[in-house]
């Protein structure tokens, strides 16, 4: 037997609320958007760590000392005879690239929980720019950029899937989901 139900009981069993009012449930974020969000958090954290590592090495190089001498000797052996200040500047600029990527990636991943067309397209444009930079690096011999390029292209594809776009454009994706006001439901 089921216990008696009271109309205002928050623990009452019954059908889920429907409609578009403030008490209506919002649809769940599709798996494609969740995947992109997780990948952007991971990539952003890696970018932040890599950028900070470059900046730490740049600081140690300009400060002198044993670590700075080792970095300068390694650069000279690689055919880049630079002074400590030049090497620090080069490493600082090189560290700024993944650091900026990391910051933007984490911010966009944080915003992906919001249902906004602007956030969706900002993510697509950001990943397209990242893919372009990775393609340029690949053309210039940076074969280590192949794997991040696959991830960037994959995230673009996941973000433009119809189910992901429908979520961010606030359109119904399931037959039982009520259409927002003003949305034409003709097929």
């Amino acid at each position: 037997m089921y216990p008696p139900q009271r109309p205002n009981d928050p623990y009452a069993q019954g059908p889920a609320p429907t409609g578009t009012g403030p008490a209506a449930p919002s649809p769940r974020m599709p798996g494609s958007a969740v995947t992109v969000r997780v990948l952007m958090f991971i990539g952003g954290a890696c970018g932040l760590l890599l950028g900070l590592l470059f900046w730490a090495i740049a600081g140690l190089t300009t400060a002198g000392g044993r670590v700075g001498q080792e970095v300068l000797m390694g650069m000279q052996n690689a055919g880049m005879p630079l002074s400590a200040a030049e090497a620090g500047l080069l490493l600082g600029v090189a560290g700024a690239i993944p650091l900026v990527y990391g910051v933007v990636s984490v911010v966009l991943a944080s915003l992906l929980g919001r249902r906004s067309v602007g956030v969706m397209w900002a993510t697509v444009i950001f990943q397209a720019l990242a893919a372009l930079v990775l393609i340029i690096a690949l053309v210039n011999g940076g074969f280590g950029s192949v794997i991040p390029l696959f991830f960037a292209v994959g995230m673009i594809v996941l973000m433009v899937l119809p189910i992901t776009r429908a979520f961010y454009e606030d359109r119904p994706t399931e037959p039982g989901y009520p259409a927002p006001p003003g949305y034409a439901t003709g097929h």
Side-chain angles (χ1 to χ4, degrees):
M1 290 293 190
Y2 296 104
Q5 307 252 331
R6 295 177 297 208
N8 294 329
D9 185 5
Y11 300 104
Q13 300 289 330
T18 59
T20 58
S26 63
R28 293 180 53 146
M29 182 183 283
S32 54
V34 171
T35 302
V36 170
R37 190 175 191 190
V38 168
L39 289 173
M40 287 183 69
F41 272 126
I42 292 170
C46 290
L48 289 170
L49 290 174
L50 186 63
L52 292 174
L53 178 65
F54 267 93
W55 281 6
I57 294 171
L60 291 171
T61 302
T62 56
R66 181 145 174 90
V67 174
Q69 296 294 328
E70 293 292 327
V71 170
L72 289 174
M73 284 179 49
M75 291 180 120
Q76 287 176 354
N77 291 340
M80 295 175 46
L82 300 173
S83 69
E86 293 169 337
L89 180 63
L90 177 68
L91 290 169
V93 170
I97 295 168
L99 193 70
V100 169
Y101 174 86
V103 168
V104 174
S105 184
V106 167
V107 167
L108 281 175
S110 299
L111 295 175
L112 274 176
R114 299 180 183 180
R115 296 182 67 192
S116 166
V117 177
V119 171
M120 180 195 73
W121 286 113
T123 302
V124 170
I125 291 169
F126 173 68
Q127 291 301 331
L129 290 173
L132 179 64
V133 169
L134 291 167
I135 288 171
I136 291 169
L138 184 64
V139 168
N140 289 325
F143 295 109
S145 62
V146 170
I147 294 173
L149 178 62
F150 282 132
F151 277 102
V153 171
M155 285 188 270
I156 293 168
V157 169
L158 289 172
M159 287 303 290
V160 297
L161 287 175
I163 191 166
T164 310
R165 288 184 38 214
F167 175 77
Y168 286 104
E169 292 172 354
D170 200 25
R171 292 186 290 146
T173 57
E174 301 172 6
Y177 179 76
Y183 180 74
T185 57
H187 291 283

